[in-house]
Amino acid sequence: MLVAIGIIFLSAYAGVKIAGRLGTSASGAVGVVFSLMAVLQAFGFMFGHGAGSIISRMLGKKDKESASRFASTSFFLAMAAGAVIGACGIAFLTPFKRLLGSTETILPYARQYGFYILLAGPFMTGSCVLNNILRYEGRAAYAMVGLTTGGILNMAGDPILMFGLHMGVAGAGLSTALSQIISFLILLAMFLSGKTDSKLSVRLMTKDLHDIVRIIATGFPSLIRQGMGSISTLLLNHQAAVYGDAAVAAMSIVNRICMLIFSVGLGLGQGFQPAAVCTNMMFQSVGESGKASFLSALRSGICFIPLILVLPAAFGLRGVQTAQTAADILAFLISAPLAISFLRKLDGKEKYNNII
């Protein structure tokens, strides 16, 4: 799974590099659209993590019927959420891109790129759910096939559509959309071919509102984590835009590099989810949703938002550049004691069980 996540972020970085050949504004557009993708992923991960954690417990009880009910409910709710976000985003494309931090010169490129991403919205949110269900069933290899194939196709499709077919930034958006759709179909095929314990069907969707609340409550930390990431990127774009398109483009490239590094922690965190960023996932996986929600909001919200608003006023562009580093350090210093305390409790329980 770590390899698959790395390939996804590598493909995103490659997209920025290729888009840079079209100019600074085009590179900036990729950074603006990145926060849009984070919004879609926020809802996808909320339903995916929320249902996945429940599904793993249901399968542990040999209750495949309940597992299929939660799988189907989360999958179709995620698809619906992606469709609503996509439709609203296309209907208000220009103001939406300005909200995400687009400058007037970046806006034309962001509109072209973002249009195709919004069209693929339901497939992106649906893929997040399918991927997480597969992992929580212990079928990480199947999930990795779908994610890796999408990432590789995206890297190959960018230069072909952008330069081979002379589509420019629109080609990058179409390449990303097509790769997401293909990845979605591969993941969906795993379920339709009977390779999974849980099944997907509209008729299996729950009729009990409590089940939906349970899914959302369990997955809420993921919504906060991804949502705050989108908000932090939005604010970063706005603060960088003061210094021109070059600053927005530079932050976009740096963000991709940071996300490649971050994928290591994400992969490790997801690796032990079925039995975390790693601390956050650890508390979410064991059902401590309160601590998980707090940690989800910590880095990109509680720490980063005040810093990105205050540091640029004091240090200019240098403040924009250092805000993320400062937020990461603060988040680590706050989350580390919580993780250490939790692990000591686990160690104490293990020693007690060994004595018994």
Side-chain angles (χ1 to χ4, degrees), residues 73-200:
T73 301
S74 62
F75 173 70
F76 288 108
L77 285 178
M79 291 284 288
V84 170
I85 295 171
C88 293
I90 291 173
F92 303 98
L93 192 57
T94 297
F96 195 23
K97 293 306 171 190
R98 288 199 176 105
L99 175 65
L100 294 175
S102 177
T103 64
E104 291 303 316
T105 46
I106 288 176
L107 183 59
Y109 298 100
R111 282 175 52 88
Q112 295 176 51
Y113 196 170
F115 175 77
Y116 290 104
I117 300 300
L118 289 165
L119 280 181
F123 301 100
M124 293 180 67
T125 52
S127 291
C128 288
V129 174
L130 297 176
N131 164 49
N132 279 282
I133 293 175
L134 286 170
R135 288 192 300 102
Y136 276 101
E137 283 197 7
R139 306 177 191 277
Y142 290 156
M144 188 172 67
V145 170
L147 293 175
T148 303
T149 302
I152 293 174
L153 288 175
N154 195 15
M155 285 190 285
D158 277 343
I160 293 173
L161 294 176
M162 291 175 67
F163 304 109
L165 299 180
H166 307 289
M167 292 183 65
V169 172
L174 180 58
S175 173
T176 301
L178 290 175
S179 65
Q180 289 291 332
I181 293 172
I182 293 172
S183 178
F184 168 84
L185 293 174
I186 292 174
L187 292 171
L188 182 61
M190 307 294 181
F191 290 83
L192 299 181
S193 61
K195 295 181 179 179
T196 59
D197 293 316
S198 52
K199 310 302 178 185
L200 298 177

Side-chain angles (χ1 to χ4, degrees), residues 8-9 11-13 15-16 29-46 81-82 85-86 89 96-97 100 110 113-128 150-151 154 158 172-181 222-223 225-231 233-234 237 252 256 259:
I8 291 173
F9 288 120
S11 70
Y13 173 73
V16 177
V30 178
V32 170
V33 175
F34 181 70
S35 56
L36 166 62
M37 296 174 68
V39 172
L40 291 166
Q41 290 171 346
F43 285 91
F45 282 128
M46 178 183 72
I85 295 171
F96 195 23
K97 293 306 171 190
L100 294 175
Y113 196 170
F115 175 77
Y116 290 104
I117 300 300
L118 289 165
L119 280 181
F123 301 100
M124 293 180 67
T125 52
S127 291
C128 288
N154 195 15
D158 277 343
L174 180 58
S175 173
T176 301
L178 290 175
S179 65
Q180 289 291 332
I181 293 172
S222 296
L223 178 66
R225 181 172 58 248
Q226 293 294 126
M228 283 298 179
S230 180
I231 293 173
T233 303
L234 180 155
N237 289 335
S252 174
R256 293 305 188 280
M259 289 304 291

